[in-house]
């Protein structure tokens, strides 16, 4: 088993000050086209990272059609230093879901009514969009 495992590195993935370790693991999954399992999906959904590249990679790994994930994918699509991340994020984006996500997170709900992860992703989305 690889040492680059989301499931076996839960503490590193979730620890606020582990940007380097987290990004190494996430990038390994992205570079090797590794599909995540349900445990890893849960860990990634708990992750409160504010670093753009990691947010984008998480969006690609989750590869779901949720409103929040659409915002993650936009952040990933706007990454200029990671071509694979940018390309994959763009390919996974759905413009209709993105419209709904923007409406939900920026028009229908106030910042204070969002959970911590939603607040972080909304804030970082504002920087790149």
């Amino acid at each position: 088993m690889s040492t680059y495992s989301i499931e076996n590195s839960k503490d590193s993935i979730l620890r606020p000050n582990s940007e380097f370790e987290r990004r190494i693991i996430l990038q390994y999954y992205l570079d090797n086209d590794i599909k995540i399992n349900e445990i890893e999906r849960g860990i990634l959904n708990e992750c409160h990272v504010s670093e753009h590249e990691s947010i984008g990679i998480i969006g690609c790994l989750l590869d779901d059609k949720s409103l929040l994930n659409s915002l993650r994918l936009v952040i990933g699509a706007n990454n200029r230093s990671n071509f694979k991340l940018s390309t994959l994020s763009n390919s996974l984006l759905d413009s209709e879901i993105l419209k709904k996500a923007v409406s939900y997170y920026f028009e229908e709900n106030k910042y204070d009514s969002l959970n911590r992860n939603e607040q972080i992703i909304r804030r970082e989305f504002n920087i790149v969009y």
Side-chain angles (χ1 to χ4, degrees):
M1 174 162 282
S2 170
T3 57
Y4 300 122
S5 165
I6 293 170
E7 187 173 349
N8 295 333
S9 303
K10 181 178 179 177
D11 291 340
S12 292
I13 298 294
L14 297 178
R15 190 175 334 113
N17 295 329
S18 64
E19 290 91 358
F20 180 76
E21 296 90 349
R22 179 176 34 250
R23 192 154 66 179
I24 294 292
I25 295 166
L26 296 176
Q27 189 68 47
Y28 178 81
Y29 274 65
L30 182 71
D31 288 345
N32 293 286
D33 301 315
I34 297 172
K35 300 295 183 200
I36 60 172
N37 63 38
E38 287 305 310
I39 294 169
E40 292 168 327
R41 180 172 298 282
I43 293 167
L44 293 180
N45 276 313
E46 285 180 51
C47 188
H48 300 297
V49 62
S50 61
E51 193 269 321
H52 288 191
E53 193 163 0
S54 292
I55 291 171
I57 294 173
I58 289 169
C60 290
L61 295 177
L62 290 172
D63 187 16
D64 66 40
K65 301 295 183 192
S66 71
L67 300 181
L68 186 60
N69 210 52
S70 290
L71 300 184
R72 286 186 187 106
L73 292 171
V74 168
I75 293 168
N78 283 283
N79 186 287
R80 299 189 196 292
S81 63
N82 188 330
F83 181 74
K84 183 168 186 171
L85 170 59
S86 175
T87 303
L88 182 57
S89 294
N90 269 311
S91 74
L92 296 174
L93 267 172
D94 180 308
S95 61
E96 289 303 312
I97 295 173
L98 179 58
K99 286 178 191 174
K100 291 176 186 174
V102 169
S103 175
Y104 180 81
Y105 285 107
F106 295 92
E107 297 166 12
E108 297 172 24
N109 290 287
K110 295 183 185 216
Y111 184 82
D112 292 339
S113 69
L114 304 175
N115 68 40
R116 181 174 176 216
N117 208 19
E118 291 171 322
Q119 288 176 345
I120 292 169
I121 293 169
R122 176 183 155 163
R123 182 185 68 226
E124 300 307 317
F125 175 89
N126 270 336
I127 293 171
V128 300
Y129 194 68

